[in-house]
Amino acid sequence: MMHPWAIRKGFVFLMGLFLLTVSHSAKADDDRIRVTQVQTDYVAKTLTIAVSDLDKAKHLAAPKVRLAGSPLVVVNSVVNNIAHTGVITANLPSPVPTGSFLLQVAWGKDEDDREHTFSLALGLVGPQGPQGPAGSQGPQGATGPQGPQGPVGPQGPAGSSSGGPPFVWVCTPAFFANAGGNTRGDIYVFNGSSTTANVAVHFLDQHGNNLAGVTIPGTNPADIYPGQSGSSTVAVASLNTLVVTYQTPIDFPANSPGVSHTVHVVSDQPIAVGSDLNFSGFHPLPCSLLPK
């Protein structure tokens, strides 16, 4: 029969063994750190490793990092005692290898400094994924300030009334086909410049001959064409209108000689020219400025 003291001693021994086992199990759980994130800086050639489930800093040994079994130099480590997290910065080998490697991190108590692993891909780029859908259009922004005035553009091409003197106007036709005789025609020349204009009015046949002073066909009593010949001109003051009146010729048969087909007006100042032929009513017609 076993002595009661021996029974009590054996019970105490078993209880101590049980507590030791529980204590060792709890400590093992506490030492199970986790690698939560790894960032690779290919320019600086460093790894930044985030770790959770750490002991307090005073219970930690220096962290150790291995890449594919080879130790890396740890350049910095920071611990957050409240969150039990930490960050390790370690140098990568040079040149940085390409492939998938086992990353091993140890950061615990001196007497139980376990390594914990993490699969790390270096220099590997996967296939491009499909394009995502377009996002919704954002609201229109405020109107920006007005920009500076741009440079002056190149000069445009000359217009039909540009080019300077002589300014040449043409009124055509200046007769009635197969008709006419003793009906009035008027040529109006307006000087739009601020100075006196020197104007020449030429009545021309179909071949360009100046008919000034020539008898107008079909007139009774006979009349002659007005206008200037040679280089002669008449002065027209600023904003004044020169009115040249003549009898329209009879063009019968067709293309008879001496018939005025065109009135040619030349000026050294900008002018405007129009005509009005009277035959069975008034026929006012604008004349045309010849382009240069």
Side-chain angles (χ1 to χ4, degrees), residues 72-107:
L72 301 182
V73 175
V74 176
V75 295
N76 190 35
S77 61
V78 179
V79 177
N80 185 333
N81 280 320
I82 298 176
H84 296 283
T85 59
V87 177
I88 302 171
T89 302
N91 288 336
L92 282 168
S94 183
V96 178
T98 299
S100 182
F101 303 96
L102 185 67
L103 180 69
Q104 298 168 286
V105 179
W107 198 2

mmCIF file of all heavy atoms in Angstrom, residues 72-107:
data_model
loop_
_atom_site.group_PDB
_atom_site.id
_atom_site.type_symbol
_atom_site.label_atom_id
_atom_site.label_comp_id
_atom_site.label_asym_id
_atom_site.label_seq_id
_atom_site.Cartn_x
_atom_site.Cartn_y
_atom_site.Cartn_z
ATOM 1 N N LEU A 72 19.975 37.701 -46.032
ATOM 2 C CA LEU A 72 19.997 39.070 -46.529
ATOM 3 C C LEU A 72 20.409 40.007 -45.413
ATOM 4 O O LEU A 72 20.148 39.743 -44.227
ATOM 5 C CB LEU A 72 18.617 39.475 -47.054
ATOM 6 C CG LEU A 72 18.029 38.644 -48.187
ATOM 7 C CD1 LEU A 72 16.676 39.209 -48.608
ATOM 8 C CD2 LEU A 72 18.972 38.581 -49.380
ATOM 9 N N VAL A 73 21.021 41.122 -45.754
ATOM 10 C CA VAL A 73 21.437 42.113 -44.763
ATOM 11 C C VAL A 73 20.226 42.937 -44.364
ATOM 12 O O VAL A 73 19.570 43.557 -45.209
ATOM 13 C CB VAL A 73 22.540 43.023 -45.328
ATOM 14 C CG1 VAL A 73 22.889 44.122 -44.331
ATOM 15 C CG2 VAL A 73 23.768 42.211 -45.694
ATOM 16 N N VAL A 74 19.890 42.937 -43.064
ATOM 17 C CA VAL A 74 18.788 43.738 -42.533
ATOM 18 C C VAL A 74 19.327 45.129 -42.226
ATOM 19 O O VAL A 74 20.234 45.289 -41.423
ATOM 20 C CB VAL A 74 18.173 43.088 -41.293
ATOM 21 C CG1 VAL A 74 17.104 43.990 -40.700
ATOM 22 C CG2 VAL A 74 17.584 41.729 -41.638
ATOM 23 N N VAL A 75 18.756 46.151 -42.877
ATOM 24 C CA VAL A 75 19.246 47.523 -42.694
ATOM 25 C C VAL A 75 18.391 48.314 -41.718
ATOM 26 O O VAL A 75 18.839 49.322 -41.177
ATOM 27 C CB VAL A 75 19.320 48.269 -44.039
ATOM 28 C CG1 VAL A 75 20.357 47.632 -44.949
ATOM 29 C CG2 VAL A 75 17.961 48.299 -44.725
ATOM 30 N N ASN A 76 17.162 47.843 -41.444
ATOM 31 C CA ASN A 76 16.305 48.590 -40.529
ATOM 32 C C ASN A 76 15.149 47.710 -40.080
ATOM 33 O O ASN A 76 14.723 46.810 -40.804
ATOM 34 C CB ASN A 76 15.756 49.851 -41.202
ATOM 35 C CG ASN A 76 15.057 50.770 -40.222
ATOM 36 O OD1 ASN A 76 15.458 50.879 -39.066
ATOM 37 N ND2 ASN A 76 14.002 51.421 -40.665
ATOM 38 N N SER A 77 14.663 47.961 -38.840
ATOM 39 C CA SER A 77 13.477 47.264 -38.353
ATOM 40 C C SER A 77 12.772 48.166 -37.347
ATOM 41 O O SER A 77 13.404 48.852 -36.553
ATOM 42 C CB SER A 77 13.860 45.931 -37.698
ATOM 43 O OG SER A 77 14.714 46.132 -36.583
ATOM 44 N N VAL A 78 11.426 48.167 -37.420
ATOM 45 C CA VAL A 78 10.603 49.008 -36.552
ATOM 46 C C VAL A 78 9.496 48.154 -35.972
ATOM 47 O O VAL A 78 8.884 47.340 -36.678
ATOM 48 C CB VAL A 78 10.000 50.189 -37.340
ATOM 49 C CG1 VAL A 78 9.132 51.044 -36.433
ATOM 50 C CG2 VAL A 78 11.104 51.039 -37.963
ATOM 51 N N VAL A 79 9.200 48.352 -34.644
ATOM 52 C CA VAL A 79 8.184 47.560 -33.965
ATOM 53 C C VAL A 79 7.096 48.475 -33.427
ATOM 54 O O VAL A 79 7.382 49.540 -32.877
ATOM 55 C CB VAL A 79 8.810 46.741 -32.802
ATOM 56 C CG1 VAL A 79 7.726 45.982 -32.048
ATOM 57 C CG2 VAL A 79 9.862 45.794 -33.323
ATOM 58 N N ASN A 80 5.835 48.071 -33.619
ATOM 59 C CA ASN A 80 4.688 48.733 -33.014
ATOM 60 C C ASN A 80 4.212 47.850 -31.872
ATOM 61 O O ASN A 80 3.558 46.826 -32.090
ATOM 62 C CB ASN A 80 3.575 48.930 -34.053
ATOM 63 C CG ASN A 80 2.405 49.720 -33.502
ATOM 64 O OD1 ASN A 80 2.141 49.726 -32.300
ATOM 65 N ND2 ASN A 80 1.676 50.396 -34.392
ATOM 66 N N ASN A 81 4.561 48.233 -30.623
ATOM 67 C CA ASN A 81 4.235 47.403 -29.465
ATOM 68 C C ASN A 81 2.734 47.298 -29.226
ATOM 69 O O ASN A 81 2.259 46.281 -28.707
ATOM 70 C CB ASN A 81 4.913 47.960 -28.202
ATOM 71 C CG ASN A 81 6.378 47.565 -28.125
ATOM 72 O OD1 ASN A 81 6.734 46.446 -28.461
ATOM 73 N ND2 ASN A 81 7.223 48.498 -27.708
ATOM 74 N N ILE A 82 1.979 48.346 -29.584
ATOM 75 C CA ILE A 82 0.531 48.324 -29.340
ATOM 76 C C ILE A 82 -0.153 47.328 -30.267
ATOM 77 O O ILE A 82 -0.986 46.522 -29.859
ATOM 78 C CB ILE A 82 -0.058 49.729 -29.507
ATOM 79 C CG1 ILE A 82 0.560 50.687 -28.479
ATOM 80 C CG2 ILE A 82 -1.580 49.698 -29.388
ATOM 81 C CD1 ILE A 82 0.106 52.125 -28.637
ATOM 82 N N ALA A 83 0.212 47.382 -31.578
ATOM 83 C CA ALA A 83 -0.422 46.491 -32.556
ATOM 84 C C ALA A 83 0.301 45.165 -32.688
ATOM 85 O O ALA A 83 -0.187 44.268 -33.383
ATOM 86 C CB ALA A 83 -0.481 47.180 -33.906
ATOM 87 N N HIS A 84 1.469 45.008 -32.046
ATOM 88 C CA HIS A 84 2.296 43.798 -32.158
ATOM 89 C C HIS A 84 2.660 43.532 -33.615
ATOM 90 O O HIS A 84 2.608 42.389 -34.097
ATOM 91 C CB HIS A 84 1.582 42.588 -31.550
ATOM 92 C CG HIS A 84 1.349 42.724 -30.074
ATOM 93 N ND1 HIS A 84 2.351 42.534 -29.139
ATOM 94 C CD2 HIS A 84 0.237 43.061 -29.378
ATOM 95 C CE1 HIS A 84 1.858 42.740 -27.921
ATOM 96 N NE2 HIS A 84 0.563 43.065 -28.037
ATOM 97 N N THR A 85 3.000 44.608 -34.333
ATOM 98 C CA THR A 85 3.423 44.485 -35.729
ATOM 99 C C THR A 85 4.803 45.095 -35.874
ATOM 100 O O THR A 85 5.284 45.837 -35.001
ATOM 101 C CB THR A 85 2.444 45.197 -36.677
ATOM 102 O OG1 THR A 85 2.369 46.580 -36.310
ATOM 103 C CG2 THR A 85 1.056 44.575 -36.620
ATOM 104 N N GLY A 86 5.439 44.777 -36.990
ATOM 105 C CA GLY A 86 6.760 45.325 -37.251
ATOM 106 C C GLY A 86 7.038 45.379 -38.731
ATOM 107 O O GLY A 86 6.350 44.760 -39.542
ATOM 108 N N VAL A 87 8.065 46.161 -39.103
ATOM 109 C CA VAL A 87 8.477 46.299 -40.490
ATOM 110 C C VAL A 87 9.984 46.109 -40.554
ATOM 111 O O VAL A 87 10.735 46.719 -39.783
ATOM 112 C CB VAL A 87 8.089 47.676 -41.064
ATOM 113 C CG1 VAL A 87 8.594 47.823 -42.500
ATOM 114 C CG2 VAL A 87 6.574 47.879 -41.021
ATOM 115 N N ILE A 88 10.423 45.276 -41.509
ATOM 116 C CA ILE A 88 11.845 44.992 -41.713
ATOM 117 C C ILE A 88 12.235 45.480 -43.096
ATOM 118 O O ILE A 88 11.507 45.246 -44.071
ATOM 119 C CB ILE A 88 12.136 43.487 -41.601
ATOM 120 C CG1 ILE A 88 11.704 42.945 -40.240
ATOM 121 C CG2 ILE A 88 13.615 43.201 -41.849
ATOM 122 C CD1 ILE A 88 11.756 41.438 -40.150
ATOM 123 N N THR A 89 13.378 46.143 -43.197
ATOM 124 C CA THR A 89 13.940 46.515 -44.495
ATOM 125 C C THR A 89 15.243 45.760 -44.670
ATOM 126 O O THR A 89 16.145 45.851 -43.835
ATOM 127 C CB THR A 89 14.198 48.020 -44.589
ATOM 128 O OG1 THR A 89 12.973 48.720 -44.355
ATOM 129 C CG2 THR A 89 14.727 48.405 -45.964
ATOM 130 N N ALA A 90 15.340 45.000 -45.783
ATOM 131 C CA ALA A 90 16.516 44.178 -46.049
ATOM 132 C C ALA A 90 16.991 44.422 -47.464
ATOM 133 O O ALA A 90 16.193 44.678 -48.373
ATOM 134 C CB ALA A 90 16.189 42.701 -45.844
ATOM 135 N N ASN A 91 18.320 44.326 -47.658
ATOM 136 C CA ASN A 91 18.901 44.518 -48.976
ATOM 137 C C ASN A 91 18.743 43.269 -49.827
ATOM 138 O O ASN A 91 18.919 42.142 -49.339
ATOM 139 C CB ASN A 91 20.385 44.866 -48.869
ATOM 140 C CG ASN A 91 20.612 46.270 -48.353
ATOM 141 O OD1 ASN A 91 19.745 47.136 -48.478
ATOM 142 N ND2 ASN A 91 21.776 46.523 -47.770
ATOM 143 N N LEU A 92 18.426 43.459 -51.105
ATOM 144 C CA LEU A 92 18.394 42.362 -52.064
ATOM 145 C C LEU A 92 19.791 42.127 -52.618
ATOM 146 O O LEU A 92 20.620 43.046 -52.649
ATOM 147 C CB LEU A 92 17.444 42.698 -53.215
ATOM 148 C CG LEU A 92 15.952 42.548 -52.945
ATOM 149 C CD1 LEU A 92 15.152 43.193 -54.077
ATOM 150 C CD2 LEU A 92 15.579 41.078 -52.808
ATOM 151 N N PRO A 93 20.068 40.925 -53.087
ATOM 152 C CA PRO A 93 21.366 40.703 -53.731
ATOM 153 C C PRO A 93 21.443 41.470 -55.056
ATOM 154 O O PRO A 93 20.433 41.819 -55.646
ATOM 155 C CB PRO A 93 21.394 39.186 -53.963
ATOM 156 C CG PRO A 93 19.973 38.767 -53.953
ATOM 157 C CD PRO A 93 19.270 39.696 -53.013
ATOM 158 N N SER A 94 22.653 41.749 -55.498
ATOM 159 C CA SER A 94 22.860 42.444 -56.763
ATOM 160 C C SER A 94 23.673 41.555 -57.693
ATOM 161 O O SER A 94 24.758 41.095 -57.302
ATOM 162 C CB SER A 94 23.589 43.767 -56.528
ATOM 163 O OG SER A 94 23.727 44.482 -57.727
ATOM 164 N N PRO A 95 23.190 41.278 -58.886
ATOM 165 C CA PRO A 95 21.916 41.728 -59.454
ATOM 166 C C PRO A 95 20.736 41.004 -58.815
ATOM 167 O O PRO A 95 20.887 39.910 -58.255
ATOM 168 C CB PRO A 95 22.052 41.367 -60.931
ATOM 169 C CG PRO A 95 22.959 40.194 -60.942
ATOM 170 C CD PRO A 95 23.949 40.436 -59.837
ATOM 171 N N VAL A 96 19.562 41.646 -58.904
ATOM 172 C CA VAL A 96 18.359 41.050 -58.314
ATOM 173 C C VAL A 96 17.968 39.821 -59.132
ATOM 174 O O VAL A 96 17.828 39.905 -60.355
ATOM 175 C CB VAL A 96 17.200 42.068 -58.301
ATOM 176 C CG1 VAL A 96 15.938 41.441 -57.745
ATOM 177 C CG2 VAL A 96 17.590 43.289 -57.485
ATOM 178 N N PRO A 97 17.828 38.679 -58.507
ATOM 179 C CA PRO A 97 17.481 37.466 -59.253
ATOM 180 C C PRO A 97 16.041 37.523 -59.764
ATOM 181 O O PRO A 97 15.218 38.297 -59.294
ATOM 182 C CB PRO A 97 17.664 36.354 -58.216
ATOM 183 C CG PRO A 97 17.429 37.030 -56.907
ATOM 184 C CD PRO A 97 17.963 38.422 -57.063
ATOM 185 N N THR A 98 15.764 36.694 -60.748
ATOM 186 C CA THR A 98 14.430 36.602 -61.328
ATOM 187 C C THR A 98 13.869 35.211 -61.073
ATOM 188 O O THR A 98 14.536 34.204 -61.322
ATOM 189 C CB THR A 98 14.474 36.879 -62.841
ATOM 190 O OG1 THR A 98 14.971 38.200 -63.053
ATOM 191 C CG2 THR A 98 13.092 36.767 -63.458
ATOM 192 N N GLY A 99 12.647 35.169 -60.584
ATOM 193 C CA GLY A 99 12.008 33.886 -60.324
ATOM 194 C C GLY A 99 11.148 33.937 -59.087
ATOM 195 O O GLY A 99 10.911 35.006 -58.512
ATOM 196 N N SER A 100 10.686 32.767 -58.633
ATOM 197 C CA SER A 100 9.871 32.646 -57.430
ATOM 198 C C SER A 100 10.737 32.007 -56.345
ATOM 199 O O SER A 100 11.307 30.927 -56.550
ATOM 200 C CB SER A 100 8.624 31.798 -57.708
ATOM 201 O OG SER A 100 7.822 31.729 -56.567
ATOM 202 N N PHE A 101 10.827 32.670 -55.188
ATOM 203 C CA PHE A 101 11.754 32.244 -54.142
ATOM 204 C C PHE A 101 11.028 32.128 -52.801
ATOM 205 O O PHE A 101 9.999 32.791 -52.577
ATOM 206 C CB PHE A 101 12.914 33.244 -54.004
ATOM 207 C CG PHE A 101 13.683 33.455 -55.268
ATOM 208 C CD1 PHE A 101 13.379 34.525 -56.097
ATOM 209 C CD2 PHE A 101 14.689 32.591 -55.651
ATOM 210 C CE1 PHE A 101 14.060 34.738 -57.277
ATOM 211 C CE2 PHE A 101 15.395 32.799 -56.826
ATOM 212 C CZ PHE A 101 15.088 33.864 -57.647
ATOM 213 N N LEU A 102 11.622 31.327 -51.911
ATOM 214 C CA LEU A 102 11.104 31.181 -50.561
ATOM 215 C C LEU A 102 11.773 32.237 -49.681
ATOM 216 O O LEU A 102 12.991 32.282 -49.569
ATOM 217 C CB LEU A 102 11.394 29.779 -50.016
ATOM 218 C CG LEU A 102 10.800 29.465 -48.640
ATOM 219 C CD1 LEU A 102 9.285 29.425 -48.728
ATOM 220 C CD2 LEU A 102 11.333 28.142 -48.124
ATOM 221 N N LEU A 103 10.957 33.095 -49.087
ATOM 222 C CA LEU A 103 11.453 34.123 -48.171
ATOM 223 C C LEU A 103 11.231 33.633 -46.745
ATOM 224 O O LEU A 103 10.126 33.253 -46.372
ATOM 225 C CB LEU A 103 10.708 35.439 -48.407
ATOM 226 C CG LEU A 103 11.123 36.623 -47.528
ATOM 227 C CD1 LEU A 103 12.526 37.089 -47.897
ATOM 228 C CD2 LEU A 103 10.131 37.774 -47.669
ATOM 229 N N GLN A 104 12.302 33.591 -45.937
ATOM 230 C CA GLN A 104 12.228 33.112 -44.559
ATOM 231 C C GLN A 104 12.536 34.274 -43.612
ATOM 232 O O GLN A 104 13.532 34.980 -43.775
ATOM 233 C CB GLN A 104 13.243 31.979 -44.336
ATOM 234 C CG GLN A 104 12.966 30.752 -45.209
ATOM 235 C CD GLN A 104 14.128 29.785 -45.186
ATOM 236 O OE1 GLN A 104 15.157 30.043 -45.804
ATOM 237 N NE2 GLN A 104 13.963 28.679 -44.475
ATOM 238 N N VAL A 105 11.647 34.486 -42.627
ATOM 239 C CA VAL A 105 11.780 35.585 -41.678
ATOM 240 C C VAL A 105 11.750 35.007 -40.268
ATOM 241 O O VAL A 105 10.837 34.244 -39.920
ATOM 242 C CB VAL A 105 10.652 36.617 -41.846
ATOM 243 C CG1 VAL A 105 10.796 37.744 -40.826
ATOM 244 C CG2 VAL A 105 10.662 37.185 -43.264
ATOM 245 N N ALA A 106 12.736 35.373 -39.456
ATOM 246 C CA ALA A 106 12.786 34.983 -38.041
ATOM 247 C C ALA A 106 12.888 36.241 -37.210
ATOM 248 O O ALA A 106 13.774 37.067 -37.419
ATOM 249 C CB ALA A 106 13.987 34.073 -37.778
ATOM 250 N N TRP A 107 11.941 36.359 -36.243
ATOM 251 C CA TRP A 107 11.959 37.572 -35.411
ATOM 252 C C TRP A 107 11.200 37.242 -34.123
ATOM 253 O O TRP A 107 10.022 37.490 -34.000
ATOM 254 C CB TRP A 107 11.304 38.721 -36.165
ATOM 255 C CG TRP A 107 11.649 40.085 -35.614
ATOM 256 C CD1 TRP A 107 12.464 40.388 -34.598
ATOM 257 C CD2 TRP A 107 11.123 41.327 -36.108
ATOM 258 N NE1 TRP A 107 12.518 41.728 -34.397
ATOM 259 C CE2 TRP A 107 11.705 42.353 -35.322
ATOM 260 C CE3 TRP A 107 10.254 41.680 -37.111
ATOM 261 C CZ2 TRP A 107 11.423 43.687 -35.521
ATOM 262 C CZ3 TRP A 107 9.979 43.021 -37.304
ATOM 263 C CH2 TRP A 107 10.561 44.024 -36.526
#
